[in-house]
Amino acid sequence: MKTSEKLRAIRKAEGLTQVKFCEISGVALSSLKNYEGGHKEPGFQIVKQIVNVPLFKKYTLWIMTDEVAPEAGQISPVVAHSGQDETTSSHSGRKTG
């Protein structure tokens, strides 16, 4: 998974709009749109800026290495919100259940 795809996964897992994600992380909205649109990959400084936000620190290991360490509080977005009553269909993006 590309880093740009990981940023989108993190944002979605936290239930944030692009605007809110940018407000929290300090990333420019136009930059985030370029990353999520697959037009550009974020550099190390952008990734570092994002994972230094307390809300996103739990994704640091995953975004950098594709690994998780739940015992150390390091998870992936899939683990972050597992067990919810509500799920999203991958086909329509609509909430079900």
Side-chain angles (χ1 to χ4, degrees):
M1 180 181 275
K2 292 180 178 181
T3 304
S4 55
E5 294 168 333
K6 288 180 176 184
L7 294 182
R8 181 183 175 111
I10 289 168
R11 181 180 65 77
K12 294 269 188 181
E14 293 297 330
L16 300 171
T17 64
Q18 287 180 328
V19 171
K20 190 65 177 172
F21 182 91
C22 290
E23 286 174 6
I24 293 169
S25 67
V27 173
L29 181 58
S30 59
S31 295
L32 182 64
K33 287 183 177 186
N34 278 326
Y35 304 145
E36 289 193 4
H39 306 290
K40 189 176 175 186
E41 279 295 304
F44 176 74
Q45 285 303 118
I46 294 294
V47 172
K48 184 178 170 187
Q49 179 179 334
I50 291 167
V51 299
N52 276 321
V53 172
L55 179 63
F56 306 133
K57 280 188 184 278
K58 61 191 170 206
Y59 302 116
T60 304
L61 185 62
W62 175 75
I63 201 167
M64 302 296 266
T65 68
D66 289 323
E67 296 180 13
V68 296
E71 66 282 0
Q74 292 294 299
I75 59 173
S76 73
V78 176
V79 175
H81 287 249
S82 64
Q84 286 184 331
D85 293 336
E86 193 170 74
T87 59
T88 302
S89 166
S90 59
H91 298 290
S92 69
R94 292 190 178 142
K95 296 199 174 186
T96 59

